[in-house]
């Protein structure tokens, strides 16, 4: 059974940095496609980025140049490094598996809340 | 980016009613359309993929149809546990994009 567990959220000032973690079981992060999807309070879902097996990544324009995906294969964990945070980045961040490499999200974590505020 | 719209934005129906939600894409997305259910405080759950395929374990009262730009999601007989917000999502093109959601509650 696939399980994804996010952590690392919290309150951060504008301009600050935060690193989110997505610990996986039931799949191998290095050979999987896994996305980050966020949801601002009371709002809809917004796709943020995807990690491709092989190590490359793709980002939404709203976070390109500020957010970076990385992995620790020994911990089977995916990270989202978020720099130059803005108030509009405030959201619950979910990691989700891309089934068969497509943006069809079949397993989701429980989410972690990031609040960007002074 | 492909824009997704949904209607209605919210609806109220009685237990046992048939509920229909529509989703429209700003361009042809073939059948690369998924439907998710999200209950308050929870992660989204995949219900329907590729426009009309029921995800394993999802009750058969849920169904989807459509292709190209126009899609429909149906709950054949609304149950109390179906109270949630429902989102469509396209994955024909990157970035994947979601509709704004339809909030369903019980009358």
């Amino acid at each position: 059974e696939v399980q994804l567990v996010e952590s690392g959220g919290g309150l951060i000032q504008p301009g600050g940095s935060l690193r989110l973690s997505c610990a996986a079981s039931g799949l191998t992060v290095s050979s999987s496609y896994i996305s980050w999807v966020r949801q601002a309070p009371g709002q809809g879902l917004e796709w943020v980025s995807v990690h491709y097996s092989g190590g490359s990544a793709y980002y939404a324009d709203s976070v390109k140049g500020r957010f970076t995906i990385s992995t620790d294969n020994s911990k089977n964990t995916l990270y989202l490094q978020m720099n130059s945070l803005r108030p509009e980045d405030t959201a619950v961040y979910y990691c989700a598996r891309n089934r068969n490499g497509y943006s069809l999200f079949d397993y989701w974590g429980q989410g972690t809340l990031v609040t960007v505020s002074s | 980016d492909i824009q997704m719209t949904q209607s209605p934005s919210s609806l109220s129906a009685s237990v046992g009613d048939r509920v229909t939600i529509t989703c429209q894409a700003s361009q042809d997305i073939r059948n690369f359309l998924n439907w998710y259910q999200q209950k308050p405080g929870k992660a989204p759950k995949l219900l329907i993929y590729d426009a009309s395929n029921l995800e394993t374990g999802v009750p058969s009262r849920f169904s989807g149809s459509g292709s190209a730009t126009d899609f429909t999601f149906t709950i054949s007989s609304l149950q109390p546990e179906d109270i949630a917000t429902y989102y469509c999502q396209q994955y024909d093109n990157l970035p994947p994009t979601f509709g704004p959601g339809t909030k369903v509650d019980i009358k």
Side-chain angles (χ1 to χ4, degrees):
Chain A
E1 177 74 13
V2 172
Q3 285 197 320
L4 301 169
V5 179
E6 303 93 336
S7 61
L11 175 62
I12 187 77
Q13 291 190 339
S17 297
L18 207 58
R19 189 180 77 163
L20 305 184
S21 300
C22 172
S25 58
L27 60 80
T28 302
V29 165
S30 61
S31 58
S32 299
Y33 285 38
I34 301 174
S35 285
W36 289 95
V37 177
R38 69 184 180 184
Q39 186 169 37
Q43 302 302 308
L45 299 163
E46 178 189 18
W47 176 86
V48 172
S49 64
V50 60
H51 161 265
Y52 293 127
S53 62
S56 60
Y58 188 89
Y59 302 91
D61 287 346
S62 57
V63 306
K64 199 172 296 181
R66 300 188 298 124
F67 290 12
T68 304
I69 278 181
S70 63
T71 62
D72 183 333
N73 296 338
S74 67
K75 295 181 179 179
N76 206 32
T77 297
L78 182 75
Y79 301 102
L80 183 68
Q81 178 67 45
M82 305 187 296
N83 298 332
S84 302
L85 282 162
R86 306 166 179 168
E88 56 264 36
D89 295 319
T90 294
V92 174
Y93 285 73
Y94 298 99
C95 58
R97 186 183 78 163
N98 294 41
R99 176 183 290 173
N100 297 329
Y102 294 100
S103 295
L104 192 168
F105 308 120
D106 57 356
Y107 289 96
W108 296 68
Q110 85 287 353
T112 187
L113 175 62
V114 173
T115 303
V116 184
S117 174
S118 54
Chain B
D1 297 1
I2 296 174
Q3 306 303 314
M4 307 298 293
T5 58
Q6 284 181 238
S7 64
S9 57
S10 65
L11 67 89
S12 188
S14 300
V15 172
D17 280 356
R18 184 180 186 87
V19 167
T20 299
I21 300 168
T22 62
C23 174
Q24 189 165 55
S26 60
Q27 64 188 68
D28 187 347
I29 58 169
R30 297 179 283 177
N31 69 329
F32 295 116
L33 189 284
N34 306 318
W35 290 96
Y36 299 87
Q37 175 192 67
Q38 187 179 33
K39 296 184 178 181
K42 301 293 187 183
K45 174 186 176 183
L46 178 67
L47 297 182
I48 303 285
Y49 64 94
D50 295 346
S52 61
N53 293 297
L54 192 68
E55 178 71 350
T56 301
V58 172
S60 59
R61 65 179 179 274
F62 297 100
S63 64
S65 64
S67 65
T69 61
D70 295 295
F71 301 86
T72 301
F73 173 82
T74 300
I75 307 172
S76 61
S77 177
L78 186 67
Q79 301 301 304
E81 61 266 32
D82 300 336
I83 301 312
T85 299
Y86 294 85
Y87 295 93
C88 61
Q89 175 241 328
Q90 70 79 22
Y91 70 105
D92 188 40
N93 281 5
L94 280 175
T97 47
F98 293 86
T102 297
K103 188 173 182 180
V104 174
D105 64 24
I106 298 287
K107 192 182 296 182

